[in-house]
Amino acid sequence: MGLTAGYIGLLLGGRYVTPVGPTDVQLTLQPSLHGGTTLKLPPLGSLQLDTHGGPVSLEARLTDLRPDQAKKLINDDTELDRLTDRIAGQIRHGLIELLIRAALIALATSFAASLLLFRSWRRALLGTGSTVLGLAALTLVTWTTFNPQSIAEPRYTGLLANAPQVVGDARSIVERFTAYRAQLARLVGNISELYATTSTLPTYEPDPSTIRVLHVSDIHLNPAAWSVIKSVSTQFKVDLIIDSGDLMDHGSKPEDKFANSISGLKVPYVYIRGNHDSMETQKAVDREKNAIVLDDDTRDVKGLRIYGVGDPRFTPDKSTRDDFVGADQLRDEGTRYAEKLRNSGNLPDVVVTHDPSEGEAFSGVSPLILAGHTHARSTKLLPTGTRLFVQGSTGGAGLRGLEHEQPTPIELSVLYFSRASHRLQGWDDLRLGGLGLTSAQIERHLEPDPDRAVKPQP
């Protein structure tokens, strides 16, 4: 009884508003199965940090902005420099006040509830003692599970309050597609600005010497993808774009015009053919002045040596074209190219294939393999030390993305490479709601051992 009442008191007392610079921030303790910290910035969204485990999470919500102080900061650079030092102290003071207040109210609630229930001073003190032990255990769990690395890997989720109304059925999507494309691009721009500001916290911070690569895949003829790609390219200042295939849906000649948007991206666009792309598709991409088509080729692009090979299949419609090429055959095909590449002695920094089954055959040849095809993002470290990075669908799987109850999300990633070692240092995963939706999430990941040895496959 004392422990339960103490926990309720902890949550009731765990509220405190503290000034932080020109804002007021409400700190709140909340019940949780997994702990962690949430920073809420209405109406833009929230940042989640896996800071700790345990039955209590911390929420920090921006509740008020003082315009006069904010204006003073904008107009006076010296005031801004002083603010940086003050903020840390203000946050620390606020947290201490919050925890002291919560602990005292927890003890008082435990004592009062136990006394009221048992009508005994001795049992009331025993109930309060259980709360003391509970608070000590909670402190120990928080301390032992505290993860400072979580600040380097924030997760942003948000829905802009001023975004147009969510687009509904297929007819509405067609009628309002131009507006949807524009709002999606604005959404990416806004969350990128917010994320760029908050991501100055990580231990790994991209700097001007970093090579920034945007990895896209499986656009599947979705025009909205170009707006997203252009916005991300601008916001994240990417040096080049790598497309791991399935730019088109059926690889037909009328679709070739879709490739014209590549030239508007103003950065090198490295492309390999997917199983929905024909050889005519490949030629259409190759005609774009900033496009670099790789098909069993290696090119140096913006400081990175990139090898790419097109998908051996052309199966845009499984109902009319039988696909007899399985995972084992794709792996064998990849092994043949990988052996040829290994014998050349010209090992690349990045290998690009469309199907991850073919990509795995290049394990041990390069530190990083990029692929797509599955419409589901994933990454894993292979036994050789090579990382296989599979991108989701940057086009939300095209119109087939509407076949399920929820539209397939639009996914793309910004990869950060060291210019000195050419090794991947970390990446930002972007995930946007599928066709008609305007939610967004950005999540930072760090490469745990960027300079690890890459061993040849046995």
Side-chain angles (χ1 to χ4, degrees), residues 41-357:
L41 309 167
L44 296 176
S46 63
L47 283 165
Q48 286 86 37
L49 306 173
D50 298 324
T51 51
H52 65 279
V56 175
S57 65
L58 173 66
E59 178 185 291
R61 176 189 288 270
L62 192 149
T63 58
D64 193 21
L65 175 68
R66 291 182 287 279
D68 292 341
Q69 291 188 30
K71 186 176 180 180
K72 186 177 178 182
L73 286 174
I74 294 169
N75 295 330
D76 188 349
D77 291 340
T78 59
E79 186 68 21
L80 189 61
D81 292 336
R82 286 194 293 270
L83 174 69
T84 306
D85 298 326
R86 284 205 307 270
I87 282 179
Q90 289 173 327
I91 293 175
R92 189 181 301 109
H93 177 266
L95 284 172
I96 292 172
E97 291 283 339
L98 170 76
L99 296 176
I100 291 175
R101 170 189 167 91
L104 290 176
I105 293 180
L107 293 172
T109 305
S110 176
F111 179 79
S114 299
L115 183 63
L116 185 65
L117 181 67
F118 299 113
R119 307 287 181 172
S120 165
W121 290 99
R122 179 175 170 274
R123 290 192 175 190
L125 290 172
L126 285 174
T128 307
S130 68
T131 297
V132 172
L133 292 176
L135 290 173
L138 179 61
T139 303
L140 184 63
V141 168
T142 304
W143 181 267
T144 55
T145 60
F146 180 65
N147 176 25
Q149 182 76 2
S150 64
I151 296 177
E153 299 181 319
R155 190 166 56 254
Y156 172 84
T157 305
L159 181 66
L160 289 187
N162 59 352
Q165 186 177 0
V166 172
V167 182
D169 56 32
R171 178 185 298 178
S172 178
I173 288 174
V174 172
E175 290 174 351
R176 300 182 57 198
F177 196 77
T178 302
Y180 166 68
R181 286 181 64 177
Q183 79 183 56
L184 203 59
R186 286 196 301 272
L187 172 66
V188 174
N190 279 305
I191 64 167
S192 299
E193 288 285 357
L194 172 63
Y195 189 71
T197 302
T198 57
S199 65
T200 56
L201 296 172
T203 52
Y204 169 70
E205 182 181 349
D207 56 49
S209 67
T210 301
I211 303 173
R212 305 175 184 220
V213 177
L214 178 60
H215 180 206
V216 304
S217 190
D218 297 85
I219 293 173
H220 283 291
L221 214 66
N222 183 354
W226 294 127
S227 302
V228 173
I229 291 170
K230 190 167 186 177
S231 182
V232 173
S233 299
T234 302
Q235 294 292 332
F236 285 80
K237 300 180 176 63
V238 303
D239 297 292
L240 68 146
I241 299 168
I242 296 179
D243 183 343
S244 49
D246 276 1
L247 179 65
M248 306 301 184
D249 222 9
H250 291 85
S252 61
K253 188 170 180 58
E255 293 176 335
D256 289 351
K257 291 182 179 179
F258 185 70
N260 293 347
S261 296
I262 292 174
S263 59
L265 299 174
K266 308 300 182 185
V267 294
Y269 191 93
V270 179
Y271 162 87
I272 59 112
R273 191 178 65 252
N275 64 296
H276 283 254
D277 301 328
S278 64
M279 290 302 296
E280 292 304 313
T281 299
Q282 182 169 302
K283 291 175 183 176
V285 174
D286 200 28
R287 286 194 288 270
E288 300 303 309
K289 59 184 179 182
N290 58 321
I292 299 168
V293 173
L294 299 179
D295 195 7
D296 190 24
D297 299 303
T298 302
R299 289 279 296 274
D300 287 334
V301 186
K302 293 291 184 176
L304 288 178
R305 182 175 296 152
I306 305 170
Y307 171 86
V309 60
D311 198 283
R313 304 162 296 180
F314 178 51
T315 53
D317 189 343
K318 298 296 177 73
S319 66
T320 59
R321 293 176 183 268
D322 292 327
D323 179 10
F324 297 111
V325 182
D328 291 339
Q329 289 169 285
L330 278 170
R331 199 171 287 109
D332 290 342
E333 182 82 356
T335 300
R336 182 170 65 84
Y337 284 114
E339 191 63 30
K340 177 183 172 184
L341 189 58
R342 192 179 288 109
N343 292 335
S344 72
N346 187 26
L347 298 182
D349 302 312
V350 181
V351 167
V352 190
T353 68
H354 179 62
D355 195 303
S357 297

